[in-house]
Structure formats: C-alpha cells, structure tokens
Amino acid sequence: MSDLSQPTHAPVLLDKLQWRYATKKMDPSRAVPQDKVDRIVEAARLAPTSSGLQPFEIFVVTSKAVREQIQPIAWNQAQITDGSHLLVFAAWDTYTAERINHMFDLVNTERGFTNEGWENYRQMLLNSYPQRDAEVNFNHAARQAYIGLGAALIAAAFEEVDATPMEGFDPAKLDEILKLRERGLRSVAIVPLGYRAEEGDWLVNLKKVRRPLEQFVTEVK
C-alpha cells in the first residue's frame, strides 16, 4: 500500500486536507467571496445520495441578525457570527410519494426519455419508503445530508476557506428560527464558513493527528 500520509508527496487535494482543521476562531473582518461559497454549495449539490433522491436542502445564512439568533442555541460558538456564512444542512422529515415522484420525473425530463428498469425502481421505492416510520425515513435522509456535508468540507478546503462542522446546537430551536418544519425539513448539521484568526485560535498551529494508515485501513485481497 502506498504511503499517503506524507504531505511532500501528496496531490494538491491532500495538501489542502492537511491544511484544514476545525477552526475555533474566525476573523470577522474577512468575508468569503461569493464565488467560493457557490462552489462549496455546488459540491454538496453534486454529492451522491441514495437512489439519487437528494433528500436534504442547504440554507446559506448570511444575515447577521439571524446568525445572532442561532448562536445562543449553538453553545454560543463564536464561529457562527465571526464567519461570514453559515450553512445549515436540513434533511427531509420523511419520504413521501410526491417527493419521490418529483425526483424521478426530474430525471426523466432532464434525460429526455423513460426507462422501464428506472420506472420499476420508482415503484419499488413508492411501495416501501412512504410506508416506513417517519423517524426511520428522517434518519436515512440525514445520513444522505452528511454525504453532502463531507463534500462541502472537502470543497471548502480546496478553496482554502475555513469550515467548522457542528452538531452542537438545539435542532428544534434552529428548526423554529428558520421555519424548517413548515417546509418538511429538520436541521442536521451546521457549518460556519470564514477565515481563521490565527492569533486567537489555540488549535491553528497544532499538528493534525489521525490514526496511522495501518490502524485505519484493512486490505482484503
């Protein structure tokens, strides 16, 4: 197995992932350019999801007033207001026939044709997902949202934008602030975007620590 742990031999993307960390202090005087935010969000939109259903949405919160509302229900974490953007990943509260049909119809429209196997797959999902318990469906959708979250974090690193993923918030209160439940959504994770304030962040100069490759990967040949 090749050694991917040596940054001197790493491709550009791995160099960027070595650079990134969960920034603790962001510089409130620096805003992330909109084109970088757009590419980070687009990476999340392009992320794979189960059956291609994309069962989550992203809210890009730039309003300082709204972020000041969110901060107290998120352990008063400073990055929420010191960063220039806050991404909120919100998953579908359940799978419905309408939501499933919308995505299958979108695929047919965009591709310009229908496929018998694809339509049979649609019926299989319609005969199973909507009948499941809503909490089971939400948990499944939330796992898909985390795939998008991972894509956004990697894209942010590539753009050299600091991004701090957070689960430390009150989902019910965040749902209320953003009126998510009215849209059939529930908050899953939040990600402030900004630029590190190196003088105020105790973590900035510490070595990134991960388990060595031999403790992390098992090859089955």
Side-chain angles (χ1 to χ4, degrees), residues 5-218:
S5 64
Q6 298 301 318
T8 55
H9 302 297
V12 172
L13 179 57
L14 294 186
D15 282 340
K16 303 292 189 183
L17 293 177
Q18 285 283 353
W19 169 85
R20 79 153 304 278
Y21 72 106
T23 306
K24 303 305 180 187
K25 176 65 177 173
M26 292 182 174
D27 182 351
S29 69
R30 296 186 64 193
V32 180
Q34 189 60 45
D35 62 325
K36 288 181 177 285
V37 176
D38 291 344
R39 287 192 290 269
I40 291 167
V41 171
E42 180 68 356
R45 189 181 74 89
L46 293 174
T49 56
S50 178
S51 302
L53 292 176
Q54 288 185 286
F56 68 94
E57 297 181 18
I58 299 174
F59 290 70
V60 183
V61 184
T62 55
S63 166
K64 187 69 177 294
V66 174
R67 288 185 287 126
E68 286 175 346
Q69 280 185 275
I70 295 171
Q71 188 177 26
I73 59 102
W75 298 358
N76 284 309
Q77 295 176 90
Q79 305 96 312
I80 293 169
T81 51
D82 286 345
S84 60
H85 297 72
L86 180 69
L87 305 184
V88 177
F89 287 75
W92 289 354
D93 56 1
T94 192
Y95 289 101
T96 64
E98 181 182 13
R99 282 170 159 169
I100 292 170
N101 281 325
H102 173 77
M103 289 305 300
F104 275 78
D105 291 344
L106 177 62
V107 169
N108 290 341
T109 298
E110 290 295 315
R111 292 179 176 169
F113 66 90
T114 60
N115 175 278
E116 182 180 359
W118 181 239
E119 291 304 317
N120 289 339
Y121 190 65
R122 180 207 297 251
Q123 291 305 315
M124 184 188 74
L125 294 187
L126 288 172
N127 291 331
S128 58
Y129 279 25
Q131 287 74 39
R132 298 189 310 194
D133 181 79
E135 194 67 18
V136 171
N137 280 338
F138 165 70
N139 287 328
H140 183 271
R143 290 194 293 273
Q144 310 314 305
Y146 274 102
I147 299 173
L149 172 67
L153 293 176
I154 293 170
F158 191 79
E159 297 286 343
E160 292 192 343
V161 170
D162 286 299
T164 307
M166 299 177 176
E167 289 183 314
F169 63 94
D170 186 324
K173 290 181 179 177
L174 181 55
D175 293 352
E176 184 178 346
I177 290 170
L178 296 180
K179 296 180 171 56
L180 299 182
R181 297 298 177 103
E182 290 93 323
R183 297 176 58 167
L185 300 167
R186 292 169 59 181
S187 55
V188 172
I190 60 177
V191 183
L193 300 178
Y195 292 103
R196 62 191 65 175
E198 297 192 6
E199 292 184 0
D201 193 337
W202 62 271
L203 192 56
V204 64
N205 291 318
L206 296 183
K207 180 181 179 180
K208 182 186 288 291
V209 179
R210 297 290 188 270
R211 278 185 288 156
L213 203 63
E214 61 271 15
Q215 294 179 12
F216 187 70
V217 176
T218 299

